């Protein structure tokens, strides 16, 4: 910090000092990012969280046990009975491979950690990496100060915490890191224009493709940026070097991932990149010719080349259009379509719509997830616009698109969060920059104050430290061509260059931006308060809101803390009390957990690749008991598992999800009609409920014997008394109900083996035989 | 009008040739290399159009390897081009090293994808 | 309901049949053929000597001449078994038994050795089987080698020691140290005792024989009885050893009994009916599938036939079904168990009564006349009062000369169930469709149930279907068959069966469709009508398709019962399922070879062009470092690149990813090093050149 006060004479020492300082700050940021995500482990225990992580955990176990080649062609017969599922070909292997490699490395170092532990702590580790990657990216965009600020912000942005607390072992945990590092490498290549970074960029993109389906965001965003640059006439051969190899290598690498495969060239999520690839070649040709020709000849050339280029482009576009039209669903998979057209999913794919994280977010959720950043983002955008460089234009594009996508789907807040962090990091650092400088120019004495204020948000210190490095950057981005090369030379030269620039510049700034002292001090204080508020909010979110592993629940009540461990209780019961190859039917949310924790075969699970199968289960759940029994028996299901929160007030139970079962089931089997379950348009389970509702299987299984608890069967989730209190099950029998009734397991009764007519006959026969017994008292000769 | 355009075209080609003759031979070699790659790619595409793209991965890797090498060669050419102001400070040897590295990675992927 | 009642009837019938005493056929040619199938020598000999003996003995008893010739192969084994010193008494016993039939040539000193060995064995024997085998062997030797001086030295002692194993209830223990007593052991013991007595040098004390006979009587108290007059022995404790069914048990007892009675002088008055019952038991088995059982059956029957006490005579009927209309005669045969001829005797028909009414007998004390050439006794004429039906005939066999009464046992009375069948006349059968309210006949058809009918009727749900016919026996009285069903079958294979009730001699059924719509599942359309009239004594039982009735029934209401799914026939259910044919993806069409090769050639063209172009541009290697160290580095650099590319080719050909990556990492480091060296050298050179 003292470096900030140093005069410009010994700038080298100061700069070295600043770099070391920033290094330590980065280290601290990493620690912060890691440790803020450990609340879940501290408050609960080191468990895998909700649903998908359990699948990933299971896959990782398989990988560590059987090796990678078995993993590639692993056909899982424990799920989607009787279809089964080809895991190796349908899963994004990045997360699994990462954790598996971590585990292997640790074991080879004789650090005996269990696979589960490694899985639990993968997400925090990668969030630390992600914050460092953010630093690098923002540094490329707007210098180190902004980088540090952005890194700090990202280290504790709630929406990212929500997906990467210890134990939430999900693709996004590593995907965000991959996303940011890919963007960083792209920008880096764009700035340096070296093939080396282009290669790294392609590899990072490969990692992203391995990790998450969201890679289409990258492969669409980067071409958009390239197109933007071309259109705004900022084409440079660095752009070509940054883009063209990425497309070729990236496409090849992407098609190496089994789950993507040939989609990388066949589906139209990727066509944009190819189109831009062609365009950039045309443009490159144009620029080249322009370069080697004289002006007047170029006039002539333009006419020809442009016309030819146009022809070529039109042809290619026509081809692409044809391809898109030919490919199914216009070549766009359902999720991408629901991205472009927010109402698409709810219209066509109830499965996608049924997932809460695919719903559009609400404004409070914005505030909850990226608290004050929401206000800082516009400032950041403005800061990016002056001066506009390739990198900053990319950042702007990134924020704009991600804002749109996050508006479509809640889970894409995750993509939006890094952009917001970068933007607000830029904004904060610029603001601090301006204020501190104005203070410094007015009275150099108090400049210690700024540092004292700035001390809270550890970033601002380095903002002060590197403020001199920034203006020349911002200026060299103004007229890039000459100044670019400075970055290639040694630091000395950079500093030298920046020295005189800064000195010349600072003279200007004396006149230019001088704010009144009080104003700047107050503004600084306000900014610090803002940051403090942000930190408080993030810590609260990490501690309270996002660290609950929905497998173990707690509730505070007047008489202390209650822990509901019913899920694991139920799964343990299944694991210990049922045959190994029994089939358990439940709604698909619980499929992964059942296979992972109870090791039983399930009918449907959370990767919803077969809508019909899920619809079958939904139909069974929403049909009357006998029909349901027949459906389940045809799937030779032995046990049915329902989740019921009515006793303890656990809101996300099957009764609340029931309408989705009806919709999904009705989507395939039209005899299930949603209106039958709604009493004049509203969903109710009390005495006003429709008879269809009261007789459907889900209702019966949920409320069976519920009235015995309190005399009147009061559902604490729906806050009402249930409509049908005394329920009699004929085809199912209750075999297990957990302590708080949250999971109830029923067994299908074996089919009745005689029908009435036969029983009557057999009765007469028995009577006859008995009479005959009387008549034949003696022993009969068996030989006659 | 047509005459004028044709004349312009001829003039254009004249100037183009003259300009191109001026380029150093190393760049010419690279250009030759690029043309070689591009033509190979084109032949493969024609083959695909004639026969059909059954071993799709083989076709893809074949074409993309050619395109990739071409693209990388173009990048190399851009970087070692003396006229190009942006890369004055980038020594051609460094550029060549990057080029080699990039090619090696590319062909590793190609081999993996060739099946 | 109708079906269930049918089942009930059948059950009652079965009961009534097994009420009556069933009859036993003596051994016949079917046994002989079965014997040839059961005892098949594998390549000229049987598995063991014991089996050989059983086979040969069976053939001998049944008098089978074309028996498989095993003598040459077997004699070898016999002589080996006899001469070998390691053979146990059991082996010797089996060998000697076989020899007793085959009469192989065994020289005398072999016997000498055996005799001494056996004597020792007898004296040292503790368990029953030891006694049995050794003494049996000695007896056999005595028979085969006419050695009069072969005696048991201490017959009395041996007798006592065997007797010591007997139990109070007439059964024996296998050895003194296992407590459980068995009936088979009794048979074995008796046989052994018989052997002892026959081998005894001096006369055995009568008192002991008396005791043994007393035991036999006690043993016969434990005999068990089937309801059809068959007696048999059985083990109290099952699984004493493997063959311990009633068959083997009784046969062993019979063997022992007969053997003992042959040697024992004192007369032993066994109840003849029990002997007969045993015979009946063995005969009742029919033809057992197991060779061991077969042997036991035949062997013990042979003993029964040849015993001294009482030879059972079996009364049998060629057929128990006599047709009245064909005027057949009731025939009766009387043979010994093995089917040989019986002494002159007369068969009396004591009485015959109907199964339904036991007390009213239709025939009393009638003597059957004898047909000498067919050796059958036949009842010449049944009185006219006898009508079709099932009757119980009670026969009695009386021997002519009375002094042989104690030799042959005939049993007191033999109850036989006889079916007198006849052709039942079916009279004025007609089918009609009546209106519901007042039974006015709408359409009526006459039926000829014996012949073909093709009646086509049509009715709606307000009408009735009425069917009636009469059954009269040959004697002109009313006949009530066991089965009289009317079956309606819809096109959709849904069947309904109605029981045709009878009033007096007239059978009629009226289907009121109004009441039946529910039962018919509201299925309108064509119903085939099928009439079933059947009885055991009815020679012309019929199952005739009468025709069809076209029904139009009202529409099914909402909650009408669905027709039940048709039962798949068990053969299709348990039979082989249709084979699953797997569908594989059709292989992609491959281009013709030459086309591919041409394109391969085409691919080479640009490369050639590339080379030509290089030549035309004049590639110069003047940049190539001249000084040695950088030159080597340069060469190494190119070599490294070549190596990596070669590695890639290998990777494509056979290596897997990880080995490739490992090697690649080493190569990469090497390449980076040399590459850096050479390139930096070049760079410095060029910069020098630029500067200088």
């Amino acid at each position: 910090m003292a470096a900030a006060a140093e005069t410009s004479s010994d700038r080298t020492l100061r700069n070295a000092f600043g770099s070391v300082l920033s290094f330590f700050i980065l280290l601290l940021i990493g620690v912060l990012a890691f440790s803020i995500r450990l609340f879940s482990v501290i408050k609960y225990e080191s468990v895998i969280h909700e649903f998908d992580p359990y699948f990933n955990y299971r896959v990782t176990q398989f990988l560590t046990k059987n090796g990678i080649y078995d993993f590639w062609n692993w056909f899982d017969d424990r799920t989607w009975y009787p279809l089964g599922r080809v895991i190796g070909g349908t899963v994004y292997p990045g997360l699994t491979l990462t954790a598996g490699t971590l585990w292997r490395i640790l074991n080879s170092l004789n650090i005996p950690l269990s696979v589960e532990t490694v899985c639990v702590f993968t997400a925090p580790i990668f969030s630390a990496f992600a914050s460092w990657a953010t630093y690098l990216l923002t540094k490329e965009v707007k210098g180190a100060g902004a980088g540090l600020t952005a890194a700090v912000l990202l280290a504790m942005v709630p929406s990212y915490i929500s997906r990467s607390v210890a134990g939430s072992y999900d693709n996004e945990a590593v995907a965000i890191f991959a996303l940011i590092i890919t963007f960083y490498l792209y920008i880096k290549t764009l700035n340096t224009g070296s093939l080396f970074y282009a290669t790294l960029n392609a590899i990072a993109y490969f990692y992203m493709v391995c990790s998450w389906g969201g890679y289409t965001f990258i492969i669409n965003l980067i071409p958009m940026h390239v197109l933007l640059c071309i259109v705004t006439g900022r084409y440079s051969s660095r752009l070509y070097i940054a883009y063209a190899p990425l497309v070729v290598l990236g496409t090849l690498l992407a098609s190496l991932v089994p789950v993507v495969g040939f989609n990388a060239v066949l589906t139209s999520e990727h066509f944009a990149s190819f189109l831009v690839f062609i365009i950039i070649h045309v443009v490159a040709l144009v620029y080249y010719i322009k370069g080697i020709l004289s002006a007047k000849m170029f006039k002539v050339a333009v006419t020809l080349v442009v016309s030819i280029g146009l022809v070529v482009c039109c042809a290619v576009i026509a081809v692409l259009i044809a391809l898109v039209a030919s490919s199914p669903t216009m070549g766009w998979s359902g999720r991408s379509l629901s991205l472009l057209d927010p109402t698409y999913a709810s219209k066509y794919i109830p499965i996608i719509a049924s997932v809460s994280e695919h719903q559009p977010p609400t404004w409070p959720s914005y505030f909850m997830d990226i608290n004050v950043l929401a206000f800082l983002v516009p400032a950041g955008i403005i800061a990016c616009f002056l001066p506009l460089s390739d990198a900053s234009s990319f950042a702007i594009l990134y924020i704009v698109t991600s804002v749109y996508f996050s508006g479509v789907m809640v889970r894409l807040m995750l993509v939006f969060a890094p952009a917001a962090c970068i933007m607000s990091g830029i904004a904060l650092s610029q603001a601090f920059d301006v204020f501190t400088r104005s203070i410094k120019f007015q009275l150099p004495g108090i400049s210690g104050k700024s540092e004292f204020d700035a001390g809270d948000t550890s970033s601002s210190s380095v903002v002060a430290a590197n403020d001199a490095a920034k203006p020349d950057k911002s200026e060299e981005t103004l007229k890039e061509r000459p100044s670019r090369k400075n970055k290639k030379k040694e630091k000395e030269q950079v500093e030298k260059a920046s020295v005189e620039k800064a000195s010349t510049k600072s003279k200007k700034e004396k006149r230019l931006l001088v704010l009144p002292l009080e104003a700047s001090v107050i503004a600084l204080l306000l900014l610090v308060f803002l940051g403090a508020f942000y930190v408080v909010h993030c810590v609260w979110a990490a501690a309270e809101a996002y660290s609950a592993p929905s497998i173990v629940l707690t509730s505070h009540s007047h008489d202390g803390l209650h822990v509901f461990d019913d899920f694991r209780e139920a799964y343990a019961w299944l694991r210990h009390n049922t045959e190994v190859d029994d089939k358990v039917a439940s709604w698909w949310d619980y499929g992964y957990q059942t296979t992972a924790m109870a090791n039983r075969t399930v009918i449907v699970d959370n990767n919803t690749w077969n809508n019909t199968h899920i619809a079958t289960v939904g139909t069974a759940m929403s049909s009357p008991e006998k029909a349901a029994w027949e459906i389940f028996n045809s799937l030779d299901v032995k046990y049915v598992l329902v989740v019921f929160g009515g006793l303890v007030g656990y809101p996300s139970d099957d009764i609340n999800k029931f309408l989705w079962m009806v919709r999904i089931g009705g989507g395939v089997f039209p005899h299930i009609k949603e209106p039958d379950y709604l009493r004049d348009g509203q969903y109710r389970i009390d005495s006003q409920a429709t008879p269809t509702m009261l007789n459907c299987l889900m209702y019966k299984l949920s409320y069976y014997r519920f009235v015995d608890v309190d005399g009147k069967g009061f559902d604490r989730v729906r806050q009402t008394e249930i409509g049908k209190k005394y329920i009699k099950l004929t085809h199912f029998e209750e075999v297990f109900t957990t302590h708080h009734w949250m999971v109830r397991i029923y067994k299908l009764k074996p089919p009745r083996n005689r029908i009435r007519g036969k029983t009557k006959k057999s009765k007469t026969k028995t009577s006859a035989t008995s009479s005959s017994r009387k008549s034949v008292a003696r022993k009969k000769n068996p030989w006659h | 009008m047509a005459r004028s355009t044709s004349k312009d075209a001829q003039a254009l080609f004249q100037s183009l040739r003259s300009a191109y003759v001026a380029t150093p031979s190393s760049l010419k070699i690279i250009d030759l290399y690029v043309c070689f790659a591009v033509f190979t790619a084109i032949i493969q595409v024609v083959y695909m159009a004639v026969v059909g793209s059954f071993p799709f991965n083989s076709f893809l890797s074949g074409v993309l390897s050619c395109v990739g090498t071409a693209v990388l060669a173009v990048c190399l050419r851009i970087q070692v081009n003396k006229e190009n102001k942006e890369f004055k400070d980038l020594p051609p040897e460094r550029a060549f090293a990057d080029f080699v590295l990039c090619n090696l990675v590319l062909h590793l992927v190609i081999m993996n994808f060739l099946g | 309901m109708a079906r269930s009642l049918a089942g009930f009837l059948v059950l009652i019938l079965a009961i009534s049949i097994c009420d009556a005493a069933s009859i036993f056929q003596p051994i016949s040619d079917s046994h002989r053929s079965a014997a040839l199938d059961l005892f098949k020598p594998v390549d000229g000999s049987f598995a063991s000597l014991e089996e050989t003996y059983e086979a040969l003995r069976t053939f001998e008893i049944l008098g089978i001449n074309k028996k498989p010739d095993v003598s040459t192969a077997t004699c070898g084994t016999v002589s080996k078994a006899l001469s070998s010193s390691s053979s146990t008494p059991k082996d010797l016993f089996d060998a000697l038994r076989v020899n007793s039939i085959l009469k192989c040539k065994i020289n005398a000193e072999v016997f000498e050795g055996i005799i001494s060995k056996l004597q020792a064995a007898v004296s040292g024997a503790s368990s029953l089987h030891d006694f049995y085998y050794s003494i049996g062997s000695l007896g056999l030797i005595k028979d085969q080698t006419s050695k009069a001086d072969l005696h048991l030295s201490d017959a009395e002692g041996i007798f006592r020691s065997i007797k010591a194993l007997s139990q109070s209830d007439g059964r024996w223990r296998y050895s003194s140290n296992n407590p459980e007593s068995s009936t088979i052991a009794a048979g074995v013991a008796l046989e052994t005792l018989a052997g002892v007595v026959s081998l005894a040098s001096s006369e055995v004390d009568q008192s002991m024989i008396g005791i043994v006979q007393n035991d036999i009587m006690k043993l016969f108290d434990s005999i068990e009885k089937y309801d059809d007059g068959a007696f048999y022995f059985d083990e109290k404790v099952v699984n004493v050893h493997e063959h311990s069914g009633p068959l083997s048990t009784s046969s062993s007892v019979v063997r022992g009994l007969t053997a003992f009675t042959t040697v024992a002088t004192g007369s032993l008055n066994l109840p003849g009916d029990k002997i007969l019952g045993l015979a009946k038991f063995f005969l009742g088995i029919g033809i057992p599938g197991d060779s061991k059982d077969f042997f036991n059956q035949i062997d013990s029957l042979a003993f029964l036939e040849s015993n001294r006490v009482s030879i059972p005579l079996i009364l049998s009927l060629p057929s128990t079904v006599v047709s009245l209309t064909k005027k057949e005669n009731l025939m009766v045969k009387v043979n010994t168990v093995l089917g040989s001829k019986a002494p002159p005797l007369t068969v009396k028909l004591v009485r015959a009564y109907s199964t339904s009414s036991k007390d009213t007998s239709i025939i009393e004390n009638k003597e059957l006349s004898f047909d000498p050439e067919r050796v059958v006794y036949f009842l010449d004429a049944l009185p006219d009062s006898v009508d079709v039906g099932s009757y119980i005939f009670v026969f009695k066999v009386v021997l002519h000369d009375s002094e042989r009464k104690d030799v042959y046992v005939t049993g007191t009375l033999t109850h036989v169930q006889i079916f007198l069948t006849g052709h039942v006349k079916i009279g004025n059968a007609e089918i009609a469709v009546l209106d519901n309210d007042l039974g006015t006949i709408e359409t009526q058809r006459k039926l000829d149930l014996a012949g073909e009918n093709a009646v086509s009727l049509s009715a709606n749900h307000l009408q009735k279907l009425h069917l009636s016919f009469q059954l009269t026996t040959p004697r002109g009285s009313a006949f009530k068959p066991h089965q009289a069903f009317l079956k309606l079958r819809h096109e959709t294979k849904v069947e309904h069966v109605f029981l045709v009730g009878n009033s007096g001699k007239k059978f009629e059924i009226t289907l009121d469709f109004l009441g039946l719509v529910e039962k018919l599942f509201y299925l309108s359309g064509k119903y085939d009508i099928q009439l079933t009239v059947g009885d055991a004594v009815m020679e012309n039982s019929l199952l005739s398709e009468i025709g069809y009735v076209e029904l139009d029934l009202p529409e099914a209401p909402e909650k009408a019962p669905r027709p039940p799914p048709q039962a798949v026939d068990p053969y299709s259910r348990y039979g082989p399922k249709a084979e699953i044919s797997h569908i594989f993806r059709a292989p992609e069409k491959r281009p013709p070879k030459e086309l591919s090769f041409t394109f391969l050639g085409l691919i080479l063209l640009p490369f050639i062009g590339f080379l030509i172009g290089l030549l035309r541009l004049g590639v110069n290697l003047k940049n190539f470092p001249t000084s040695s160290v950088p030159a080597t580095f340069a060469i190494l650099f190119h070599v490294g690149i070549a190596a990596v590319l070669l590695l890639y080719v290998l990777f494509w050909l056979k290596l897997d990813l990880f080995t490739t990556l490992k090697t690649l990492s080493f190569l990469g480091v090497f390449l980076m090093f040399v590459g850096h060296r050479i390139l930096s050298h070049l760079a410095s050179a060029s910069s020098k050149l630029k500067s200088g």
Side-chain angles (χ1 to χ4, degrees), chain C residues 177-386:
Chain C
N177 52 13
N178 84 332
E180 64 191 13
S181 56
S182 95
T183 318
I184 294 186
V188 174
L190 289 175
E191 206 170 344
T192 321
L193 290 176
V196 172
V197 172
S198 63
L199 286 175
S201 55
S202 65
E203 192 54 38
V204 182
D205 178 1
Q206 278 307 318
S207 63
M208 277 191 290
I209 294 184
I211 296 169
V212 174
Q213 287 174 346
N214 196 1
D215 285 339
I216 295 174
M217 300 310 291
K218 272 188 269 167
L219 189 61
F220 266 77
D221 298 344
S222 76
I223 198 168
E224 303 187 40
K225 184 179 193 300
Y226 283 136
D227 54 6
D228 54 1
F231 287 85
Y232 67 99
F233 290 93
D234 200 353
E235 287 290 10
K236 297 281 185 297
V237 190
V238 288
N239 292 333
V240 175
H241 60 88
E242 56 276 5
H243 285 285
S244 69
L247 177 54
S248 56
T249 317
S250 336
S251 67
S252 114
V253 172
V254 164
R255 264 191 225 102
L257 175 68
T258 48
F260 192 76
T261 45
T262 40
V263 295
T265 56
S267 75
L268 161 73
N269 51 357
L270 285 172
D273 58 345
K274 290 192 176 172
I275 299 296
L276 189 62
L278 281 169
K280 282 180 177 173
F281 170 74
F282 289 124
L283 289 177
I285 286 169
I287 300 178
D290 175 19
S291 63
K292 186 93 182 161
D293 294 345
F294 195 89
F295 164 72
N296 282 334
Q297 180 192 21
I298 299 298
D299 190 32
S300 38
L301 280 175
F303 275 118
L304 279 179
E305 178 152 3
S306 66
N307 69 348
R308 263 191 56 233
V309 185
S310 50
I311 302 169
L313 287 179
I314 299 300
L315 179 143
S316 65
L317 280 75
S319 90
T320 61
V321 178
V322 178
S323 164
L324 289 178
T325 45
K326 295 201 200 65
K327 294 278 182 290
E328 288 175 345
N329 293 334
L330 179 67
M331 300 189 196
V332 177
K333 282 172 173 287
V334 177
N335 303 89
T336 60
V337 285
L338 291 183
S340 58
K341 192 171 171 306
L345 48 77
T346 57
V347 179
K348 268 203 170 61
L349 173 58
V350 179
R351 65 186 285 254
Y353 55 87
S354 157
T355 47
S356 52
S357 63
K358 290 206 180 327
D359 42 11
T360 63
S361 61
I362 49 172
I363 312 173
E364 294 280 0
N365 287 331
K366 204 161 184 308
E367 183 162 329
L368 276 65
S369 51
F370 182 63
D371 179 349
E373 67 273 11
R374 282 188 302 165
V375 204
V376 290
Y377 302 80
F378 61 92
L379 183 65
D380 32 20
L382 285 166
D384 293 354
S385 64
V386 178

Side-chain angles (χ1 to χ4, degrees), chain A residues 362-393:
Chain A
T362 57
W363 288 114
S365 72
Y366 269 104
F367 185 74
M368 175 69 193
D369 279 349
I370 54 157
N371 179 270
V372 299
L373 309 185
F375 313 125
L376 291 175
V377 163
I381 293 178
I382 295 169
C384 282
F385 264 111
L386 43 102
L388 186 67
S389 70
D390 293 347
S392 55
S393 66

